[in-house]
Amino acid sequence: MPGSDKPTRELLDFYLEAGVDALIGEEPVDRFAPEPTPMAARAPVARPPDVEVKSRVAQPAAPQAPDEVAMAARAAAKSAKTLDE
């Protein structure tokens, strides 16, 4: 049937004229979602009961709230006498 693919061809021509230049799948993909971790990475690690684990790594301070940072920046700007300060 040579005439049966005319609507398909017209639709493809419309897409090309509209600027469509890539094909996508039928299901949407959230590219911003974090990748799931493999099940093996989620399994807890068993430790012998006689092993004591001590952390020697200093914990970083909690980040300041955005409002506190903005207020500190405003205070520094008010006290500056020149643009370099």
Side-chain angles (χ1 to χ4, degrees):
M1 301 174 125
S4 65
D5 69 339
K6 184 178 179 187
T8 304
R9 176 61 56 194
E10 289 174 350
L11 183 60
L12 289 173
D13 289 339
F14 169 77
Y15 286 152
L16 284 173
E17 289 177 21
V20 176
D21 60 357
L23 299 174
I24 59 171
E26 292 186 21
E27 295 294 321
V29 177
D30 185 359
R31 304 269 185 224
F32 296 105
E35 292 190 25
T37 56
M39 290 301 290
R42 292 186 208 165
V45 177
R47 295 182 189 267
D50 60 338
V51 174
E52 185 177 328
V53 178
K54 292 184 181 179
S55 176
R56 296 183 186 192
V57 177
Q59 296 297 324
Q64 290 180 323
D67 292 337
E68 293 173 5
V69 174
M71 295 304 289
R74 286 185 183 130
K78 284 182 183 178
S79 66
K81 306 244 188 294
T82 65
L83 286 176
D84 290 333
E85 288 180 1

Coordinates of all heavy atoms in Angstrom, one line a residue:
M1 N 0.8 -1.2 0.0 CA 0.0 0.0 0.0 C 0.9 1.2 0.0 O 1.3 1.7 1.0 CB -0.9 0.0 1.2 CG -1.8 -1.1 1.4 SD -2.7 -1.0 2.9 CE -4.3 -1.1 2.4
P2 N 1.2 1.8 -1.2 CA 2.0 2.9 -1.2 C 1.5 4.2 -0.6 O 2.2 5.0 -0.1 CB 2.3 3.1 -2.7 CG 1.3 2.3 -3.4 CD 0.7 1.3 -2.4
G3 N 0.2 4.4 -0.6 CA -0.4 5.7 -0.1 C -0.6 5.6 1.4 O -1.0 6.6 2.0
S4 N -0.4 4.5 2.1 CA -0.7 4.4 3.5 C 0.3 5.1 4.4 O -0.1 5.4 5.6 CB -0.8 2.9 3.9 OG 0.4 2.3 3.8
D5 N 1.5 5.4 4.0 CA 2.5 6.0 4.9 C 2.6 7.5 4.7 O 3.4 8.2 5.2 CB 3.8 5.3 4.7 CG 4.5 5.6 3.4 OD1 3.8 5.9 2.5 OD2 5.7 5.5 3.4
K6 N 1.6 8.1 3.9 CA 1.6 9.5 3.6 C 1.4 10.3 4.9 O 2.1 11.3 5.2 CB 0.6 9.9 2.6 CG 0.6 11.4 2.2 CD -0.4 11.7 1.2 CE -0.3 13.2 0.9 NZ -1.3 13.6 0.0
P7 N 0.4 10.0 5.8 CA 0.3 10.7 7.0 C 1.5 10.6 7.9 O 1.9 11.6 8.6 CB -0.9 10.0 7.7 CG -1.7 9.4 6.6 CD -0.6 9.0 5.6
T8 N 2.2 9.5 7.9 CA 3.4 9.3 8.7 C 4.5 10.2 8.2 O 5.2 10.9 8.9 CB 3.9 7.9 8.7 OG1 2.8 7.0 9.1 CG2 5.1 7.7 9.6
R9 N 4.7 10.3 6.9 CA 5.7 11.1 6.2 C 5.4 12.6 6.5 O 6.3 13.4 6.8 CB 5.7 10.9 4.7 CG 6.6 11.7 3.9 CD 8.1 11.6 4.3 NE 8.6 10.3 4.2 CZ 9.7 9.8 4.7 NH1 10.5 10.7 5.4 NH2 10.1 8.6 4.7
E10 N 4.1 13.0 6.4 CA 3.7 14.4 6.7 C 4.0 14.7 8.2 O 4.5 15.8 8.5 CB 2.3 14.6 6.4 CG 2.0 14.6 4.9 CD 0.5 14.7 4.6 OE1 -0.3 14.6 5.5 OE2 0.1 14.9 3.4
L11 N 3.8 13.8 9.1 CA 4.0 14.1 10.5 C 5.6 14.2 10.7 O 6.0 15.1 11.4 CB 3.5 12.9 11.4 CG 3.6 13.1 12.9 CD1 2.9 14.4 13.4 CD2 3.1 11.9 13.6
L12 N 6.3 13.4 10.1 CA 7.8 13.5 10.2 C 8.3 14.8 9.6 O 9.2 15.4 10.2 CB 8.5 12.3 9.6 CG 8.3 11.0 10.3 CD1 8.9 9.8 9.5 CD2 9.0 11.0 11.7
D13 N 7.8 15.2 8.5 CA 8.1 16.5 7.9 C 7.8 17.6 8.8 O 8.6 18.6 9.0 CB 7.5 16.7 6.5 CG 8.1 15.7 5.5 OD1 9.2 15.2 5.7 OD2 7.4 15.5 4.5
F14 N 6.6 17.6 9.4 CA 6.2 18.6 10.4 C 7.2 18.7 11.6 O 7.6 19.8 12.0 CB 4.8 18.3 10.9 CG 4.4 19.2 12.1 CD1 4.1 20.5 11.9 CD2 4.5 18.7 13.4 CE1 3.7 21.3 13.0 CE2 4.1 19.5 14.5 CZ 3.8 20.8 14.3
Y15 N 7.6 17.5 12.1 CA 8.5 17.5 13.2 C 9.9 18.1 12.8 O 10.5 18.9 13.5 CB 8.8 16.1 13.7 CG 7.6 15.5 14.5 CD1 7.4 14.2 14.6 CD2 6.8 16.3 15.3 CE1 6.4 13.6 15.3 CE2 5.7 15.8 16.0 CZ 5.5 14.5 16.1 OH 4.5 13.9 16.8
L16 N 10.3 17.8 11.6 CA 11.6 18.3 11.1 C 11.5 19.9 11.0 O 12.4 20.6 11.4 CB 12.0 17.7 9.8 CG 12.6 16.3 9.9 CD1 12.7 15.7 8.5 CD2 13.9 16.3 10.6
E17 N 10.4 20.4 10.4 CA 10.2 21.8 10.3 C 10.1 22.5 11.6 O 10.5 23.6 11.8 CB 9.0 22.1 9.5 CG 9.2 21.7 8.0 CD 7.9 22.0 7.2 OE1 7.0 22.7 7.6 OE2 7.8 21.4 6.1
A18 N 9.6 21.8 12.7 CA 9.5 22.4 14.0 C 10.8 22.3 14.8 O 10.8 22.9 15.9 CB 8.4 21.6 14.8
G19 N 11.8 21.7 14.2 CA 13.1 21.7 14.9 C 13.4 20.4 15.7 O 14.4 20.3 16.4
V20 N 12.5 19.4 15.6 CA 12.8 18.1 16.3 C 13.9 17.4 15.6 O 13.9 17.2 14.4 CB 11.5 17.2 16.3 CG1 11.9 15.9 17.0 CG2 10.4 17.9 17.0
D21 N 15.0 17.1 16.4 CA 16.2 16.5 15.7 C 16.7 15.3 16.5 O 17.7 14.8 16.2 CB 17.3 17.5 15.5 CG 17.8 18.1 16.9 OD1 17.2 17.7 17.9 OD2 18.7 18.8 16.8
A22 N 15.9 14.8 17.5 CA 16.3 13.6 18.3 C 15.1 12.8 18.6 O 14.0 13.3 18.8 CB 17.0 14.1 19.5
L23 N 15.3 11.5 18.6 CA 14.3 10.6 19.0 C 14.4 10.3 20.5 O 15.5 10.2 21.1 CB 14.4 9.3 18.2 CG 14.3 9.4 16.7 CD1 14.6 8.0 16.1 CD2 12.9 9.9 16.3
I24 N 13.3 10.0 21.2 CA 13.3 9.7 22.6 C 12.5 8.4 22.8 O 11.8 8.0 21.9 CB 12.8 10.8 23.5 CG1 11.3 11.2 23.1 CG2 13.6 12.1 23.4 CD1 10.6 12.1 24.0
G25 N 12.6 7.9 24.0 CA 11.9 6.7 24.3 C 10.4 7.0 24.7 O 10.0 8.1 24.7
E26 N 9.7 5.9 24.9 CA 8.3 6.1 25.2 C 8.0 6.5 26.7 O 7.0 7.0 27.0 CB 7.5 4.8 24.9 CG 7.4 4.6 23.4 CD 6.6 3.4 23.0 OE1 5.7 3.1 23.8 OE2 6.7 2.9 21.9
E27 N 9.0 6.2 27.5 CA 8.9 6.5 29.0 C 9.8 7.7 29.3 O 10.9 7.8 28.8 CB 9.3 5.4 29.8 CG 8.4 4.1 29.7 CD 7.1 4.4 30.3 OE1 6.9 5.1 31.3 OE2 6.1 3.9 29.6
P28 N 9.3 8.7 30.1 CA 10.1 9.9 30.4 C 11.3 9.4 31.3 O 11.2 8.5 32.1 CB 9.2 10.8 31.1 CG 8.1 9.9 31.6 CD 8.0 8.8 30.7
V29 N 12.4 10.1 31.1 CA 13.6 9.9 31.9 C 14.0 11.1 32.7 O 14.2 12.2 32.1 CB 14.8 9.5 31.0 CG1 16.1 9.2 31.9 CG2 14.5 8.2 30.2
D30 N 14.0 11.0 34.1 CA 14.4 12.1 34.9 C 15.9 12.1 35.0 O 16.5 11.4 35.8 CB 13.8 12.0 36.3 CG 14.0 13.2 37.2 OD1 14.7 14.1 36.7 OD2 13.6 13.2 38.3
R31 N 16.6 13.0 34.3 CA 18.1 13.1 34.2 C 18.6 13.7 35.5 O 19.8 13.6 35.7 CB 18.5 13.8 33.0 CG 18.0 13.3 31.7 CD 18.9 12.3 31.1 NE 18.5 11.9 29.8 CZ 18.4 10.6 29.4 NH1 18.8 9.7 30.2 NH2 18.0 10.3 28.2
F32 N 17.8 14.4 36.3 CA 18.3 15.0 37.5 C 18.1 14.1 38.7 O 18.6 14.5 39.8 CB 17.5 16.3 37.7 CG 17.8 17.3 36.7 CD1 16.8 17.6 35.7 CD2 19.0 18.0 36.6 CE1 17.1 18.5 34.7 CE2 19.2 18.9 35.6 CZ 18.3 19.2 34.7
A33 N 17.4 13.0 38.6 CA 17.2 12.1 39.8 C 18.6 11.4 40.1 O 19.3 11.1 39.2 CB 16.2 11.1 39.4
P34 N 18.8 11.2 41.4 CA 20.1 10.5 41.7 C 20.0 9.1 41.2 O 18.9 8.5 41.2 CB 20.1 10.6 43.2 CG 18.7 10.9 43.7 CD 18.1 11.6 42.5
E35 N 21.1 8.5 40.9 CA 21.2 7.2 40.4 C 21.0 6.2 41.6 O 21.5 6.4 42.6 CB 22.5 6.9 39.7 CG 22.6 7.6 38.4 CD 23.8 7.2 37.6 OE1 24.2 6.0 37.8 OE2 24.3 8.0 36.8
P36 N 20.2 5.2 41.4 CA 20.0 4.2 42.5 C 21.3 3.5 42.8 O 22.0 3.2 41.8 CB 18.9 3.3 42.0 CG 18.9 3.4 40.5 CD 19.4 4.8 40.2
T37 N 21.5 3.2 44.0 CA 22.7 2.5 44.4 C 22.4 1.0 44.2 O 21.3 0.5 44.5 CB 23.1 2.8 45.8 OG1 22.0 2.5 46.7 CG2 23.5 4.2 46.0
P38 N 23.4 0.2 43.8 CA 23.2 -1.2 43.7 C 22.8 -1.8 45.0 O 23.2 -1.4 46.1 CB 24.5 -1.7 43.2 CG 25.3 -0.5 42.7 CD 24.7 0.6 43.5
M39 N 22.1 -2.9 45.0 CA 21.7 -3.6 46.2 C 22.9 -4.1 47.0 O 22.9 -4.1 48.3 CB 20.8 -4.8 45.9 CG 19.5 -4.4 45.4 SD 18.5 -3.4 46.6 CE 18.2 -4.6 47.8
A40 N 24.0 -4.4 46.4 CA 25.2 -4.9 47.1 C 25.8 -3.8 47.9 O 26.4 -4.0 49.0 CB 26.2 -5.4 46.1
A41 N 25.7 -2.5 47.5 CA 26.3 -1.4 48.2 C 25.4 -1.1 49.4 O 25.9 -0.4 50.3 CB 26.4 -0.2 47.3
R42 N 24.2 -1.4 49.4 CA 23.3 -1.1 50.5 C 23.4 -2.1 51.7 O 22.9 -1.8 52.8 CB 21.8 -1.1 50.0 CG 21.5 0.0 49.1 CD 20.1 0.1 48.8 NE 19.9 0.6 47.5 CZ 18.7 0.5 46.8 NH1 17.7 -0.1 47.3 NH2 18.6 1.1 45.6
A43 N 23.9 -3.3 51.4 CA 24.0 -4.3 52.5 C 24.9 -3.8 53.6 O 26.0 -3.4 53.3 CB 24.4 -5.6 51.9
P44 N 24.5 -4.0 54.8 CA 25.4 -3.6 55.9 C 26.6 -4.6 56.0 O 26.5 -5.7 55.7 CB 24.6 -3.8 57.2 CG 23.4 -4.7 56.8 CD 23.3 -4.5 55.3
V45 N 27.7 -4.0 56.4 CA 29.0 -4.8 56.5 C 29.0 -5.4 58.0 O 28.9 -4.6 58.9 CB 30.2 -3.9 56.3 CG1 31.5 -4.7 56.5 CG2 30.1 -3.3 54.9
A46 N 29.2 -6.7 58.0 CA 29.3 -7.3 59.4 C 30.7 -7.1 59.9 O 31.7 -7.3 59.2 CB 28.9 -8.8 59.2
R47 N 30.8 -6.8 61.2 CA 32.1 -6.6 61.8 C 32.1 -7.6 63.0 O 31.1 -7.8 63.7 CB 32.2 -5.2 62.4 CG 32.3 -4.1 61.3 CD 32.5 -2.8 62.0 NE 32.3 -1.7 61.0 CZ 33.3 -1.2 60.4 NH1 34.5 -1.6 60.5 NH2 33.1 -0.2 59.5
P48 N 33.3 -8.1 63.3 CA 33.5 -8.9 64.4 C 33.1 -8.2 65.7 O 33.4 -7.0 65.8 CB 34.9 -9.3 64.4 CG 35.4 -9.0 63.1 CD 34.5 -8.0 62.5
P49 N 32.5 -8.8 66.7 CA 32.0 -8.0 67.9 C 33.2 -7.5 68.7 O 33.0 -6.6 69.5 CB 31.2 -9.1 68.7 CG 31.6 -10.4 68.1 CD 32.1 -10.2 66.7
D50 N 34.4 -8.0 68.6 CA 35.5 -7.6 69.4 C 36.3 -6.4 68.8 O 37.2 -5.9 69.4 CB 36.5 -8.7 69.8 CG 37.1 -9.3 68.5 OD1 36.5 -9.2 67.4 OD2 38.1 -10.0 68.6
V51 N 35.9 -6.0 67.6 CA 36.6 -4.9 67.0 C 35.9 -3.6 67.3 O 34.7 -3.4 67.1 CB 36.6 -5.1 65.4 CG1 37.2 -3.9 64.7 CG2 37.3 -6.3 65.1
E52 N 36.7 -2.6 67.9 CA 36.2 -1.3 68.2 C 36.6 -0.3 67.1 O 37.8 -0.3 66.8 CB 36.7 -0.9 69.6 CG 36.1 0.4 70.1 CD 36.6 0.8 71.4 OE1 36.9 -0.1 72.2 OE2 36.8 2.0 71.7
V53 N 35.6 0.4 66.6 CA 35.9 1.4 65.6 C 35.9 2.8 66.2 O 34.9 3.2 66.7 CB 34.9 1.2 64.4 CG1 35.2 2.3 63.3 CG2 35.0 -0.2 63.8
K54 N 36.9 3.5 66.0 CA 37.0 4.9 66.5 C 37.2 5.8 65.3 O 38.0 5.5 64.4 CB 38.1 5.1 67.5 CG 37.9 4.4 68.8 CD 39.0 4.7 69.7 CE 38.7 3.9 71.0 NZ 39.8 4.2 72.0
S55 N 36.4 6.9 65.2 CA 36.6 7.8 64.1 C 37.5 8.9 64.5 O 37.4 9.5 65.6 CB 35.2 8.4 63.8 OG 35.3 9.4 62.8
R56 N 38.5 9.2 63.7 CA 39.5 10.2 64.0 C 39.3 11.4 63.0 O 40.1 12.3 63.0 CB 40.9 9.7 63.8 CG 41.2 8.7 64.9 CD 42.6 8.2 64.8 NE 42.8 7.1 65.7 CZ 44.0 6.6 66.0 NH1 45.1 7.1 65.5 NH2 44.1 5.6 66.8
V57 N 38.3 11.3 62.2 CA 38.0 12.4 61.2 C 37.2 13.4 61.8 O 36.1 13.2 62.4 CB 37.3 11.8 59.9 CG1 37.0 12.9 58.9 CG2 38.2 10.7 59.3
A58 N 37.6 14.7 61.7 CA 36.9 15.8 62.3 C 35.6 16.0 61.4 O 35.7 16.0 60.2 CB 37.7 17.1 62.3
Q59 N 34.5 16.2 62.0 CA 33.3 16.5 61.3 C 33.2 17.9 60.9 O 33.5 18.8 61.7 CB 32.1 16.1 62.2 CG 32.0 14.7 62.6 CD 31.8 13.8 61.4 OE1 31.1 14.1 60.4 NE2 32.4 12.6 61.4
P60 N 32.8 18.2 59.6 CA 32.8 19.6 59.2 C 31.6 20.3 59.9 O 30.6 19.7 60.3 CB 32.5 19.5 57.7 CG 31.9 18.1 57.5 CD 32.5 17.3 58.6
A61 N 31.8 21.6 60.1 CA 30.7 22.4 60.7 C 29.5 22.5 59.7 O 29.6 22.4 58.5 CB 31.2 23.8 61.0
A62 N 28.3 22.6 60.3 CA 27.1 22.7 59.6 C 27.1 24.0 58.8 O 27.6 25.0 59.3 CB 25.9 22.6 60.5
P63 N 26.7 24.0 57.5 CA 26.7 25.2 56.7 C 25.7 26.2 57.3 O 24.7 25.8 57.9 CB 26.2 24.8 55.4 CG 25.6 23.5 55.6 CD 26.2 22.9 56.8
Q64 N 26.0 27.5 57.2 CA 25.1 28.5 57.7 C 23.8 28.6 56.8 O 23.8 28.2 55.6 CB 25.8 29.9 57.6 CG 26.9 30.0 58.6 CD 27.5 31.4 58.5 OE1 27.6 32.0 57.4 NE2 27.9 32.0 59.7
A65 N 22.8 29.1 57.4 CA 21.5 29.3 56.6 C 21.7 30.4 55.6 O 22.5 31.3 55.9 CB 20.4 29.6 57.6
P66 N 21.1 30.3 54.5 CA 21.2 31.4 53.5 C 20.9 32.8 54.0 O 21.6 33.7 53.6 CB 20.2 31.0 52.4 CG 20.0 29.5 52.6 CD 20.2 29.3 54.0
D67 N 20.0 32.9 54.9 CA 19.7 34.2 55.5 C 20.8 34.8 56.3 O 21.2 35.9 56.2 CB 18.4 34.2 56.4 CG 17.2 33.9 55.6 OD1 17.2 34.2 54.3 OD2 16.2 33.4 56.1
E68 N 21.5 33.9 57.1 CA 22.6 34.3 57.9 C 23.8 34.8 57.0 O 24.5 35.7 57.3 CB 23.1 33.2 58.8 CG 22.1 32.8 59.9 CD 22.5 31.6 60.6 OE1 23.6 31.1 60.4 OE2 21.7 31.2 61.5
V69 N 24.0 34.0 55.9 CA 25.1 34.4 55.0 C 24.8 35.7 54.3 O 25.7 36.6 54.2 CB 25.3 33.3 53.9 CG1 26.3 33.7 52.9 CG2 25.7 32.0 54.6
A70 N 23.6 35.9 53.9 CA 23.2 37.2 53.3 C 23.4 38.3 54.2 O 23.9 39.4 53.8 CB 21.8 37.1 52.7
M71 N 22.9 38.2 55.5 CA 23.1 39.2 56.5 C 24.5 39.6 56.7 O 24.9 40.7 56.9 CB 22.4 38.9 57.8 CG 20.8 38.7 57.6 SD 20.1 40.2 57.0 CE 20.2 41.3 58.3
A72 N 25.4 38.5 56.8 CA 26.8 38.7 57.0 C 27.4 39.5 55.8 O 28.3 40.4 56.0 CB 27.5 37.4 57.2
A73 N 27.0 39.2 54.6 CA 27.5 39.8 53.4 C 27.1 41.3 53.4 O 27.9 42.2 53.1 CB 27.0 39.1 52.2
R74 N 25.9 41.6 53.8 CA 25.4 42.9 53.9 C 26.2 43.8 54.9 O 26.5 44.9 54.7 CB 23.9 43.0 54.2 CG 23.0 42.5 53.0 CD 21.6 42.7 53.3 NE 20.8 42.2 52.2 CZ 19.8 41.4 52.3 NH1 19.4 40.9 53.5 NH2 19.2 41.0 51.2
A75 N 26.4 43.1 56.1 CA 27.2 43.8 57.1 C 28.6 44.1 56.6 O 29.1 45.2 56.9 CB 27.2 43.0 58.4
A76 N 29.2 43.2 55.9 CA 30.6 43.4 55.4 C 30.5 44.5 54.4 O 31.5 45.4 54.3 CB 31.1 42.1 54.9
A77 N 29.5 44.6 53.5 CA 29.4 45.6 52.5 C 29.2 47.0 53.1 O 29.8 48.0 52.6 CB 28.3 45.2 51.5
K78 N 28.4 47.1 54.2 CA 28.2 48.4 54.8 C 29.5 48.9 55.4 O 29.7 50.1 55.4 CB 27.1 48.2 55.9 CG 25.7 48.1 55.3 CD 24.7 48.0 56.4 CE 23.3 47.9 55.8 NZ 22.3 47.7 56.9
S79 N 30.3 48.1 56.0 CA 31.5 48.5 56.6 C 32.7 48.8 55.7 O 33.7 49.4 56.1 CB 31.9 47.5 57.7 OG 32.3 46.3 57.1
A80 N 32.5 48.4 54.4 CA 33.6 48.6 53.5 C 33.7 50.1 53.1 O 32.7 50.7 52.8 CB 33.4 47.7 52.2
K81 N 34.9 50.6 53.0 CA 35.2 52.0 52.6 C 35.5 52.1 51.1 O 35.3 53.1 50.5 CB 36.3 52.5 53.4 CG 36.1 52.4 54.9 CD 36.0 53.7 55.6 CE 36.0 53.6 57.1 NZ 34.9 52.9 57.7
T82 N 36.0 51.0 50.5 CA 36.3 51.0 49.1 C 35.8 49.8 48.4 O 35.3 48.9 49.1 CB 37.9 51.0 48.9 OG1 38.4 49.8 49.3 CG2 38.5 52.2 49.6
L83 N 35.8 49.8 47.1 CA 35.3 48.6 46.3 C 36.1 47.4 46.6 O 35.6 46.3 46.6 CB 35.2 48.9 44.8 CG 34.1 49.8 44.4 CD1 34.2 50.1 42.9 CD2 32.7 49.2 44.7
D84 N 37.4 47.6 46.8 CA 38.3 46.4 47.0 C 38.0 45.8 48.4 O 38.2 44.5 48.5 CB 39.8 46.9 47.0 CG 40.2 47.2 45.6 OD1 39.6 46.7 44.6 OD2 41.1 48.1 45.4
E85 N 37.6 46.5 49.3 CA 37.3 46.0 50.6 C 36.0 45.1 50.5 O 35.8 44.2 51.2 CB 37.1 47.1 51.7 CG 38.4 47.7 52.1 CD 38.2 48.8 53.2 OE1 37.0 49.0 53.6 OE2 39.2 49.4 53.5

